[in-house]
Structures are given as structure tokens and as C-alpha cells.
Amino acid sequence: PDEPEALGLAALISLSLARCPARGTADAFVPLDEQDPSLWDATLIAAGERDLRRAHALGRMGRFQIEAAIQSVHCARATSGVTDWHALRTLHAALVSFAPTLGARVAHAAAVGRVEGAQAGLEALDAIGEECARFQPAWATRAHLLALAGRADEAVRAYERAISLTTDIGARRYLERRRMQIRGASG
């Protein structure tokens, strides 16, 4: 009860599990932005928020607390109806400073793209370098940002690369649909 990172991890687990009912099935992936927040588990969200507040009160920040805070911002959409992308960009930057994993850096680039525009997000992805070459989330993020930037042909190629790196059937189907939508919109 007095270890902030243990509480942060408990909060992270609760806030992440709260969204399980809205994530789709093994055959039909639903990305976070498209999930119906009314399907999220309010009891688990409340438990996560409680643990996160307790962790914060102990005054020692850590990776799990930041990851839980990121999930908290996403879960807040259930009551506010909007996602605070400025807060997410700040939290992802903090996470990168604590734990500069490839996933954290790609998520930060995605948040930068939401706040500062697609080109800024693409530049943040490019700054990561060659590590992204075989990382499916980086390619899916790149494809999304290229589509937002109006670069349809490049977006289609990036979706194809993301699809080639995807083993999850539901995620593959989602990416294939996105690729087809971009092709249809540009064609």
C-alpha cells in the first residue's frame, strides 16, 4: 500500500481491463478511438483512478504511474466525450523520459501528430530511426499520419507494410479495411 509503482501498476491494469468489452473480438479489432465508452467497466475505471490517486499522493513518480495516467486520460472520454490529446502528448513525453521503449516513442509520435499535425507526427516517427522497420505499430501509425496528411499512395504502402507485420487476425482485418478506405478515397 505504500509503494507508488505497485499502486501505479494496479491502476494501469484496472484502467486497461476496463476497456476490454469494447475492444472487439479476436476477428474484429476496435481501436481505442472507435470504442464505445458506454461499454467500458465503470467499476474498474473507478478502482484504477483510486489507485492512481493513492500512488500520486506518495510523491514518487514512476513508469507505471505515467502509463496509468495515460490510460486515465483515455478513460475520461467515458464522461467528457473527448480525448485530451494535449495531456496525452505531455504524458507520453514523460513516459519516454522514464522508459524510452520503442512502443513509448511511437505512441509519443502519434500524440504529437494529433496535437501538432500529421507532419509533426511523421517527423517524430522519422526521428526514432531504423528501429521502426519491423515494428507493426510504427507502420500503422505512419499509415494513419500519412492518410491525415493527404498522402494516400504512401499511406496505402505503409498500411501494406503494417499488414505484413501483423499476426493478429482482427488487427489485420482492421488495417486491410483502412487501406481499402484510403484507396477508395484517393481513387
Side-chain angles (χ1 to χ4, degrees):
D2 295 329
E3 176 50 52
E5 277 298 83
L7 290 166
L9 180 57
L12 174 61
I13 291 169
S14 293
L15 293 166
S16 296
L17 287 176
R19 294 192 321 272
C20 278
R23 287 189 180 122
T25 65
D27 294 338
F29 170 72
V30 179
L32 182 54
D33 284 356
E34 297 175 21
Q35 290 176 12
D36 178 356
S38 70
L39 299 175
W40 296 347
D41 186 322
T43 303
L44 279 173
I45 292 172
E49 294 295 339
R50 218 173 16 258
D51 287 337
L52 187 56
R53 281 191 303 275
R54 286 179 54 211
H56 179 72
L58 294 170
R60 292 187 321 271
M61 186 56 62
R63 173 185 181 171
F64 292 133
Q65 293 170 73
I66 296 169
E67 289 185 28
I70 290 168
Q71 298 306 315
S72 175
V73 171
H74 283 295
C75 287
R77 183 165 61 92
T79 54
S80 70
V82 297
T83 301
D84 185 346
W85 285 100
H86 289 276
L88 286 172
R89 179 187 57 187
T90 300
L91 288 166
H92 280 292
L95 180 58
V96 167
S97 73
F98 268 87
T101 64
L102 182 54
R105 291 179 288 156
V106 169
H108 179 254
V112 166
R114 289 290 190 126
V115 174
E116 298 175 30
Q119 187 56 43
L122 288 165
E123 290 169 6
L125 269 179
D126 290 342
I128 297 170
E130 288 300 312
E131 291 178 77
C132 291
R134 299 205 39 80
F135 191 55
Q136 184 271 349
W139 283 100
T141 300
R142 180 174 298 284
H144 175 73
L145 292 170
L146 286 166
L148 288 176
R151 295 159 60 182
D153 291 342
E154 292 174 82
V156 166
R157 286 192 299 275
Y159 274 118
E160 288 169 353
R161 181 68 174 143
I163 291 164
S164 77
L165 295 169
T166 302
T167 58
D168 180 87
I169 293 169
R172 177 183 297 275
R173 288 181 179 162
Y174 172 79
L175 293 169
E176 288 170 344
R177 277 193 311 276
R178 291 293 301 139
R179 180 188 62 191
M180 293 306 293
Q181 290 169 343
I182 301 302
R183 274 189 181 152
S186 68

